[in-house]
Amino acid sequence: MRLILLGPPGAGKGTQANFIKEKYNIPQISTGDMLRAAVKAGTPLGLAAKKIMDEGGLVSDDLIINLVKERIQESDCANGFLFDGFPRTIRQADALKEAGISIDFVLEIAVADSEIIKRMSGRRAHLASGRTYHVLYNPPKVEGKDDVTGEDLVQRDDDHEDTVRKRLEVYHEQTEALVGYYSGLAKSGDANAPKYAKVEGVGSVESIHDKAFAALG
């Protein structure tokens, strides 16, 4: 199974990715992890990426695609892979196609912006333990306090409403076009095009997981 997960930040892609990885015995590949691994290993591509990042630049799509090609040759990708946060743009999706990297399935987890803002801006964390709460869905016993230690809970910077709104803006500007791109490919009749399915990312984790696996067949 060679799979791309699409959906806005906070849609629950990470949670569903864990179920999919286990079922199909495939690694989850994120460009961030891949870049860090290549830099750490000191590969020629890793060194090139490090130079760009050290200078505060953005790693080019071509370099990312070459890193992807290198990564999927590794033995843990024998059964396939799951792309997480890649491709991010139509240009990257085109480059993936041009590189001859075939994809079996694109799964979109759709959640409305209003729900994501409610979900993410309501999160609170006890940083020392990593325990997380939600003001609506999983509140602590005492408002603003960790259940175990009684220490203050904090709202991470990433979860502030204005930050969440900015992240959603970037998603709509850059990545949402991939929904049309891949669903269009699936309808094109091209035998090599990936299949496409959309599931609503609302409800219990188990119900979303069931919908995702029913879609993947």
Side-chain angles (χ1 to χ4, degrees):
M1 177 65 84
R2 295 167 156 225
L3 185 92
I4 291 171
L5 267 186
L6 282 183
K13 297 189 298 296
T15 304
Q16 297 308 319
N18 284 326
F19 294 128
I20 293 165
K21 269 164 41 185
E22 281 175 27
K23 181 175 168 71
Y24 294 103
N25 189 25
I26 54 176
Q28 181 177 355
I29 300 174
S30 85
T31 46
D33 291 347
M34 206 169 50
L35 274 169
R36 283 186 287 276
V39 168
K40 193 176 172 190
T43 66
L45 286 172
L47 294 172
K50 184 177 188 304
K51 187 171 184 293
I52 294 163
M53 291 190 292
D54 286 349
E55 290 164 0
L58 281 174
V59 178
S60 71
D61 288 343
D62 291 340
L63 190 54
I64 293 282
I65 291 291
N66 284 325
L67 275 167
V68 167
K69 283 160 85 173
E70 194 173 76
R71 175 68 183 87
I72 65 176
Q73 297 306 314
E74 291 179 28
S75 58
D76 64 340
C77 292
N79 295 327
F81 46 79
L82 186 155
F83 282 139
D84 169 19
F86 176 82
R88 280 188 193 277
T89 61
I90 298 284
R91 168 76 191 89
Q92 287 182 351
D94 280 338
L96 201 60
K97 208 168 149 196
E98 285 155 18
I101 298 169
S102 65
I103 300 295
D104 300 317
F105 217 104
V106 177
L107 180 67
E108 178 196 353
I109 299 179
V111 181
D113 283 9
S114 56
E115 172 62 23
I116 284 172
I117 290 163
K118 195 162 64 175
R119 247 183 222 184
M120 293 177 79
S121 63
R123 292 198 293 214
R124 300 292 182 271
H126 180 248
L127 297 181
S129 67
R131 279 185 289 277
T132 55
Y133 301 86
H134 193 283
V135 294
L136 296 175
Y137 307 126
N138 177 32
K141 290 170 186 160
V142 177
E143 190 181 338
K145 303 289 182 188
D146 177 50
D147 285 354
V148 179
T149 63
E151 291 166 355
D152 287 344
L153 298 175
V154 299
Q155 185 180 34
R156 291 191 179 103
D157 290 345
D158 270 5
D159 294 335
H160 283 287
E161 186 172 331
D162 54 347
T163 309
V164 175
R165 286 184 185 279
K166 280 193 192 103
R167 288 177 67 194
L168 285 168
E169 259 174 52
V170 170
Y171 171 77
H172 292 309
E173 280 168 18
Q174 293 184 0
T175 309
E176 193 174 31
L178 290 170
V179 168
Y181 177 96
Y182 281 116
S183 58
L185 266 182
K187 290 174 193 159
S188 69
D190 178 352
N192 297 320
K195 290 177 180 152
Y196 190 93
K198 171 182 174 177
V199 298
E200 294 297 329
V202 287
S204 69
V205 168
E206 291 75 19
S207 71
I208 299 162
H209 153 271
D210 290 345
K211 285 185 280 191
F213 281 127
L216 291 170

